[in-house]
Amino acid sequence: MTDTHPAIRVSEIFGPTIQGEGVLIGLPTVFVRTGGCDYRCSWCDSLHAVDNQFRHEWETMSIGAVWQNVLALSGGRPMMVSLSGGNPAIQPLGALIERGHGDGYRFALETQGSVVRDWFADLDVLVLSPKPPSSEMTTDWAALEACLQAAQGKPQIVLKLVVFDESDYAFAKDTAARFPRLPIYLQPGNHTPPRPGNEQAPVDLEGIVKRMEWLVDNVTRDRWFEARVLPQLHVMLWGNKRGV
Ligand code: SF4
């Protein structure tokens, strides 16, 4: 049967592993990482799925081919599928979600909220992750708001903010004030992101733990009791290794 749905640009499909961050931390997950991003964050740790210079590593795949990969990795046992990137919202993922739901799988998608899709309403979990000042990107608040509208309150929606310094922390507080109804997850970023292809690049775990402690001190000092502070578990376990 011919797959008439638009194809998806895929950087990598891997798992099962555990989700390393945010609301689904610890949950066994298969990852579909799409290729391409409309942002270029200064500390991006997924440049291999962002920069056009790695385009030759990306594969344009039919929905059926992507799904066969997920089925093989999960042994056909329904589980959580994380759609990440890059910015997965750039890709036409609606038909993939429909296909997976038909087999009993669940879908989470993480995006900076710059591109709006009507199929956000079909997700199980939508993680909106606006990028703070240290990223050197500028958040389009109207687009982020439109993402929320598109989701129509159907998936679980959460905010996830990476925090490197005081101005990022102020940005996180501002974001929480704009969207007071959304749960917010804060995490210290990896300030030693790898160059693509250098998975052995060391991680400054001590520095990450220090910033984690600083974050906890900040939210407790400010009596910001709605914020949840989490590490990036996969960085603590596997450093900069890919595919885990
Ligand atoms: S939005 Fe995410 S994937 Fe895109 S450049 Fe920023 S950190 Fe990298």
Side-chain angles (χ1 to χ4, degrees):
M1 195 173 72
T2 318
D3 197 333
T4 53
H5 298 294
I8 300 170
R9 204 165 57 204
V10 175
S11 164
E12 55 186 345
I13 303 175
F14 63 92
T17 180
I18 52 165
Q19 171 57 260
E21 55 194 44
V23 61
L24 299 173
I25 193 166
L27 186 70
T29 299
V30 166
F31 286 82
V32 176
R33 189 189 294 285
T34 61
C37 188
D38 46 325
Y39 274 24
R40 290 290 181 281
C41 299
S42 62
W43 33 250
C44 179
D45 59 0
S46 311
L47 274 178
H48 62 287
V50 168
D51 203 315
N52 272 335
Q53 84 180 94
F54 302 98
R55 219 184 165 96
H56 63 278
E57 294 179 7
W58 306 345
E59 200 179 334
T60 302
M61 298 173 73
S62 67
I63 300 290
V66 172
W67 195 243
Q68 282 311 313
N69 272 266
V70 173
L71 287 175
L73 290 169
S74 60
R77 181 133 185 240
M79 64 183 304
M80 181 62 75
V81 179
S82 174
L83 305 169
S84 68
N87 183 1
I90 289 175
Q91 300 297 318
L93 298 174
L96 179 70
I97 295 166
E98 195 183 333
R99 174 79 176 262
H101 276 163
D103 287 343
Y105 287 69
R106 301 177 74 229
F107 288 84
L109 176 134
E110 176 173 332
T111 178
Q112 62 265 44
S114 54
V115 176
V116 186
R117 295 292 196 169
D118 54 7
W119 46 259
F120 284 174
D122 300 327
L123 290 162
D124 297 282
V125 183
L126 173 61
V127 180
L128 293 173
S129 184
K131 303 306 174 194
S134 65
S135 69
E136 297 171 16
M137 297 291 114
T138 304
T139 294
D140 179 344
W141 295 108
L144 198 71
E145 182 63 48
C147 288
L148 271 174
Q149 298 301 329
Q152 300 174 39
K154 291 182 181 166
Q156 179 183 10
I157 306 176
V158 299
L159 292 166
K160 195 189 77 180
L161 275 292
V162 179
V163 179
F164 283 88
D165 54 28
E166 290 288 354
S167 57
D168 288 359
Y169 180 71
F171 177 88
K173 290 196 88 172
D174 174 53
T175 306
R178 286 171 185 267
F179 304 101
R181 284 221 248 257
L182 297 183
I184 186 163
Y185 290 78
L186 308 180
Q187 65 188 40
N190 178 3
H191 54 277
T192 53
R195 294 297 309 153
N198 186 10
E199 296 178 52
Q200 304 307 324
V203 167
D204 176 17
L205 265 190
E206 210 179 314
I208 291 174
V209 169
K210 274 209 181 91
R211 208 141 17 81
M212 177 93 194
E213 288 171 357
W214 165 78
L215 255 178
V216 172
D217 287 346
N218 275 14
V219 298
T220 51
R221 177 200 64 204
D222 293 347
R223 296 195 159 78
W224 187 9
F225 298 145
E226 297 76 26
R228 294 166 173 86
V229 183
L230 285 176
Q232 288 181 296
L233 192 53
H234 55 292
V235 173
M236 304 195 95
L237 290 174
W238 298 297
N240 285 317
K241 198 161 183 276
R242 266 170 65 178
V244 286

mmCIF file of all heavy atoms in Angstrom, residues 33 36-47 49-50 85-88 110-112 129 131 135 137, ligand 1:
data_model
loop_
_atom_site.group_PDB
_atom_site.id
_atom_site.type_symbol
_atom_site.label_atom_id
_atom_site.label_comp_id
_atom_site.label_asym_id
_atom_site.label_seq_id
_atom_site.Cartn_x
_atom_site.Cartn_y
_atom_site.Cartn_z
ATOM 1 N N ARG A 33 13.757 11.561 16.703
ATOM 2 C CA ARG A 33 14.340 12.905 16.647
ATOM 3 C C ARG A 33 14.327 13.385 15.193
ATOM 4 O O ARG A 33 14.951 12.756 14.336
ATOM 5 C CB ARG A 33 15.778 12.887 17.186
ATOM 6 C CG ARG A 33 16.351 14.297 17.350
ATOM 7 C CD ARG A 33 17.822 14.273 17.675
ATOM 8 N NE ARG A 33 18.175 13.694 18.950
ATOM 9 C CZ ARG A 33 17.997 14.284 20.129
ATOM 10 N NH1 ARG A 33 17.451 15.474 20.179
ATOM 11 N NH2 ARG A 33 18.366 13.683 21.234
ATOM 12 N N GLY A 36 16.259 19.368 11.674
ATOM 13 C CA GLY A 36 15.966 20.752 11.313
ATOM 14 C C GLY A 36 15.386 21.532 12.469
ATOM 15 O O GLY A 36 14.625 20.998 13.267
ATOM 16 N N CYS A 37 15.796 22.797 12.560
ATOM 17 C CA CYS A 37 15.286 23.662 13.626
ATOM 18 C C CYS A 37 15.325 25.104 13.133
ATOM 19 O O CYS A 37 16.259 25.504 12.433
ATOM 20 C CB CYS A 37 16.138 23.506 14.889
ATOM 21 S SG CYS A 37 15.421 24.386 16.313
ATOM 22 N N ASP A 38 14.300 25.870 13.509
ATOM 23 C CA ASP A 38 14.255 27.283 13.151
ATOM 24 C C ASP A 38 15.044 28.134 14.142
ATOM 25 O O ASP A 38 15.148 29.347 13.971
ATOM 26 C CB ASP A 38 12.795 27.771 13.065
ATOM 27 C CG ASP A 38 11.957 27.313 14.255
ATOM 28 O OD1 ASP A 38 12.189 26.195 14.751
ATOM 29 O OD2 ASP A 38 11.069 28.071 14.680
ATOM 30 N N TYR A 39 15.603 27.536 15.191
ATOM 31 C CA TYR A 39 16.433 28.239 16.165
ATOM 32 C C TYR A 39 17.889 27.783 16.020
ATOM 33 O O TYR A 39 18.170 26.744 15.425
ATOM 34 C CB TYR A 39 15.982 27.909 17.591
ATOM 35 C CG TYR A 39 14.858 28.747 18.152
ATOM 36 C CD1 TYR A 39 13.947 29.404 17.330
ATOM 37 C CD2 TYR A 39 14.700 28.870 19.529
ATOM 38 C CE1 TYR A 39 12.908 30.158 17.877
ATOM 39 C CE2 TYR A 39 13.668 29.620 20.075
ATOM 40 C CZ TYR A 39 12.771 30.260 19.250
ATOM 41 O OH TYR A 39 11.754 30.991 19.797
ATOM 42 N N ARG A 40 18.766 28.563 16.620
ATOM 43 C CA ARG A 40 20.185 28.190 16.755
ATOM 44 C C ARG A 40 20.641 28.609 18.137
ATOM 45 O O ARG A 40 21.331 29.605 18.303
ATOM 46 C CB ARG A 40 21.066 28.894 15.704
ATOM 47 C CG ARG A 40 20.887 28.435 14.283
ATOM 48 C CD ARG A 40 21.431 27.015 14.082
ATOM 49 N NE ARG A 40 21.268 26.584 12.705
ATOM 50 C CZ ARG A 40 20.124 26.140 12.188
ATOM 51 N NH1 ARG A 40 19.044 26.078 12.922
ATOM 52 N NH2 ARG A 40 20.062 25.763 10.921
ATOM 53 N N CYS A 41 20.219 27.861 19.150
ATOM 54 C CA CYS A 41 20.561 28.241 20.515
ATOM 55 C C CYS A 41 22.072 28.129 20.738
ATOM 56 O O CYS A 41 22.696 27.180 20.257
ATOM 57 C CB CYS A 41 19.824 27.349 21.509
ATOM 58 S SG CYS A 41 18.033 27.484 21.348
ATOM 59 N N SER A 42 22.607 29.066 21.484
ATOM 60 C CA SER A 42 24.069 29.129 21.661
ATOM 61 C C SER A 42 24.607 27.845 22.297
ATOM 62 O O SER A 42 25.740 27.457 22.038
ATOM 63 C CB SER A 42 24.435 30.327 22.537
ATOM 64 O OG SER A 42 23.844 30.170 23.816
ATOM 65 N N TRP A 43 23.784 27.194 23.127
ATOM 66 C CA TRP A 43 24.254 26.007 23.850
ATOM 67 C C TRP A 43 23.562 24.729 23.383
ATOM 68 O O TRP A 43 23.518 23.738 24.120
ATOM 69 C CB TRP A 43 24.050 26.177 25.356
ATOM 70 C CG TRP A 43 22.851 26.984 25.763
ATOM 71 C CD1 TRP A 43 22.880 28.228 26.318
ATOM 72 C CD2 TRP A 43 21.456 26.629 25.650
ATOM 73 N NE1 TRP A 43 21.585 28.660 26.556
ATOM 74 C CE2 TRP A 43 20.705 27.703 26.156
ATOM 75 C CE3 TRP A 43 20.771 25.513 25.153
ATOM 76 C CZ2 TRP A 43 19.305 27.697 26.190
ATOM 77 C CZ3 TRP A 43 19.387 25.501 25.177
ATOM 78 C CH2 TRP A 43 18.670 26.585 25.692
ATOM 79 N N CYS A 44 23.018 24.747 22.172
ATOM 80 C CA CYS A 44 22.272 23.573 21.685
ATOM 81 C C CYS A 44 23.102 22.294 21.836
ATOM 82 O O CYS A 44 24.260 22.241 21.419
ATOM 83 C CB CYS A 44 21.897 23.757 20.215
ATOM 84 S SG CYS A 44 20.994 22.326 19.575
ATOM 85 N N ASP A 45 22.493 21.271 22.431
ATOM 86 C CA ASP A 45 23.211 20.000 22.609
ATOM 87 C C ASP A 45 22.784 18.962 21.566
ATOM 88 O O ASP A 45 23.113 17.796 21.675
ATOM 89 C CB ASP A 45 23.002 19.449 24.032
ATOM 90 C CG ASP A 45 21.526 19.206 24.350
ATOM 91 O OD1 ASP A 45 20.676 19.461 23.472
ATOM 92 O OD2 ASP A 45 21.232 18.758 25.476
ATOM 93 N N SER A 46 22.008 19.420 20.557
ATOM 94 C CA SER A 46 21.540 18.488 19.514
ATOM 95 C C SER A 46 21.856 19.026 18.127
ATOM 96 O O SER A 46 21.051 18.871 17.205
ATOM 97 C CB SER A 46 20.022 18.280 19.636
ATOM 98 O OG SER A 46 19.656 17.994 20.958
ATOM 99 N N LEU A 47 23.038 19.635 17.976
ATOM 100 C CA LEU A 47 23.359 20.266 16.696
ATOM 101 C C LEU A 47 23.304 19.293 15.526
ATOM 102 O O LEU A 47 23.033 19.685 14.395
ATOM 103 C CB LEU A 47 24.753 20.906 16.764
ATOM 104 C CG LEU A 47 24.808 22.322 17.322
ATOM 105 C CD1 LEU A 47 26.259 22.807 17.381
ATOM 106 C CD2 LEU A 47 23.953 23.275 16.489
ATOM 107 N N ALA A 49 21.084 17.416 14.897
ATOM 108 C CA ALA A 49 19.704 17.378 14.395
ATOM 109 C C ALA A 49 19.223 18.785 14.035
ATOM 110 O O ALA A 49 18.037 18.986 13.804
ATOM 111 C CB ALA A 49 18.781 16.770 15.449
ATOM 112 N N VAL A 50 20.143 19.727 14.000
ATOM 113 C CA VAL A 50 19.762 21.126 13.798
ATOM 114 C C VAL A 50 20.454 21.722 12.582
ATOM 115 O O VAL A 50 19.817 22.308 11.698
ATOM 116 C CB VAL A 50 20.121 21.957 15.066
ATOM 117 C CG1 VAL A 50 20.025 23.455 14.794
ATOM 118 C CG2 VAL A 50 19.211 21.566 16.230
ATOM 119 N N GLY A 85 13.753 16.991 18.602
ATOM 120 C CA GLY A 85 14.502 17.492 17.441
ATOM 121 C C GLY A 85 15.853 18.018 17.885
ATOM 122 O O GLY A 85 16.394 17.551 18.900
ATOM 123 N N GLY A 86 16.240 19.078 17.168
ATOM 124 C CA GLY A 86 15.542 19.979 16.288
ATOM 125 C C GLY A 86 14.218 20.492 16.842
ATOM 126 O O GLY A 86 13.948 20.382 18.020
ATOM 127 N N ASN A 87 13.451 21.068 15.955
ATOM 128 C CA ASN A 87 12.085 21.452 16.312
ATOM 129 C C ASN A 87 11.131 20.520 15.578
ATOM 130 O O ASN A 87 10.886 20.692 14.381
ATOM 131 C CB ASN A 87 11.810 22.912 15.926
ATOM 132 C CG ASN A 87 10.415 23.346 16.363
ATOM 133 O OD1 ASN A 87 9.674 22.550 16.965
ATOM 134 N ND2 ASN A 87 10.068 24.587 16.070
ATOM 135 N N PRO A 88 10.569 19.520 16.283
ATOM 136 C CA PRO A 88 9.716 18.543 15.603
ATOM 137 C C PRO A 88 8.446 19.160 15.023
ATOM 138 O O PRO A 88 7.819 18.570 14.141
ATOM 139 C CB PRO A 88 9.393 17.532 16.711
ATOM 140 C CG PRO A 88 9.621 18.253 17.991
ATOM 141 C CD PRO A 88 10.701 19.261 17.723
ATOM 142 N N GLU A 110 8.197 17.859 22.299
ATOM 143 C CA GLU A 110 8.810 19.029 22.922
ATOM 144 C C GLU A 110 9.203 20.034 21.859
ATOM 145 O O GLU A 110 9.843 19.692 20.866
ATOM 146 C CB GLU A 110 10.050 18.624 23.716
ATOM 147 C CG GLU A 110 10.741 19.857 24.272
ATOM 148 C CD GLU A 110 11.877 19.554 25.221
ATOM 149 O OE1 GLU A 110 11.822 18.494 25.874
ATOM 150 O OE2 GLU A 110 12.784 20.396 25.304
ATOM 151 N N THR A 111 8.788 21.279 22.072
ATOM 152 C CA THR A 111 9.095 22.327 21.103
ATOM 153 C C THR A 111 9.278 23.656 21.819
ATOM 154 O O THR A 111 8.721 23.860 22.904
ATOM 155 C CB THR A 111 7.975 22.450 20.051
ATOM 156 O OG1 THR A 111 8.297 23.527 19.156
ATOM 157 C CG2 THR A 111 6.611 22.728 20.688
ATOM 158 N N GLN A 112 10.014 24.553 21.179
ATOM 159 C CA GLN A 112 10.177 25.897 21.752
ATOM 160 C C GLN A 112 8.932 26.743 21.568
ATOM 161 O O GLN A 112 8.840 27.843 22.109
ATOM 162 C CB GLN A 112 11.408 26.595 21.140
ATOM 163 C CG GLN A 112 11.342 26.829 19.641
ATOM 164 C CD GLN A 112 12.024 25.710 18.877
ATOM 165 O OE1 GLN A 112 11.841 24.525 19.188
ATOM 166 N NE2 GLN A 112 12.809 26.060 17.870
ATOM 167 N N SER A 129 8.885 24.670 25.551
ATOM 168 C CA SER A 129 10.179 24.992 26.142
ATOM 169 C C SER A 129 10.749 26.267 25.531
ATOM 170 O O SER A 129 11.682 26.208 24.711
ATOM 171 C CB SER A 129 11.125 23.803 25.926
ATOM 172 O OG SER A 129 12.356 24.013 26.550
ATOM 173 N N LYS A 131 12.993 29.431 24.995
ATOM 174 C CA LYS A 131 14.433 29.488 25.283
ATOM 175 C C LYS A 131 14.809 30.798 25.977
ATOM 176 O O LYS A 131 14.421 31.872 25.534
ATOM 177 C CB LYS A 131 15.230 29.317 23.979
ATOM 178 C CG LYS A 131 14.909 28.024 23.241
ATOM 179 C CD LYS A 131 15.067 26.792 24.117
ATOM 180 C CE LYS A 131 14.602 25.516 23.424
ATOM 181 N NZ LYS A 131 14.439 24.387 24.345
ATOM 182 N N SER A 135 20.326 31.609 25.478
ATOM 183 C CA SER A 135 20.284 30.903 24.194
ATOM 184 C C SER A 135 20.589 31.848 23.034
ATOM 185 O O SER A 135 20.902 31.409 21.933
ATOM 186 C CB SER A 135 18.907 30.272 23.965
ATOM 187 O OG SER A 135 17.940 31.290 23.750
ATOM 188 N N MET A 137 18.347 33.510 21.612
ATOM 189 C CA MET A 137 17.143 33.499 20.783
ATOM 190 C C MET A 137 16.089 34.406 21.425
ATOM 191 O O MET A 137 16.178 34.696 22.622
ATOM 192 C CB MET A 137 16.571 32.078 20.668
ATOM 193 C CG MET A 137 17.483 31.091 19.996
ATOM 194 S SD MET A 137 17.684 31.449 18.234
ATOM 195 C CE MET A 137 19.404 31.896 18.189
HETATM 196 S S1 SF4 B 1 15.439 24.953 19.910
HETATM 197 FE FE1 SF4 B 1 16.352 23.094 20.761
HETATM 198 S S2 SF4 B 1 17.092 21.924 18.971
HETATM 199 FE FE2 SF4 B 1 16.679 24.032 18.257
HETATM 200 S S3 SF4 B 1 18.678 25.052 18.424
HETATM 201 FE FE3 SF4 B 1 17.568 25.433 20.358
HETATM 202 S S4 SF4 B 1 18.247 23.791 21.762
HETATM 203 FE FE4 SF4 B 1 18.806 23.171 19.665
#
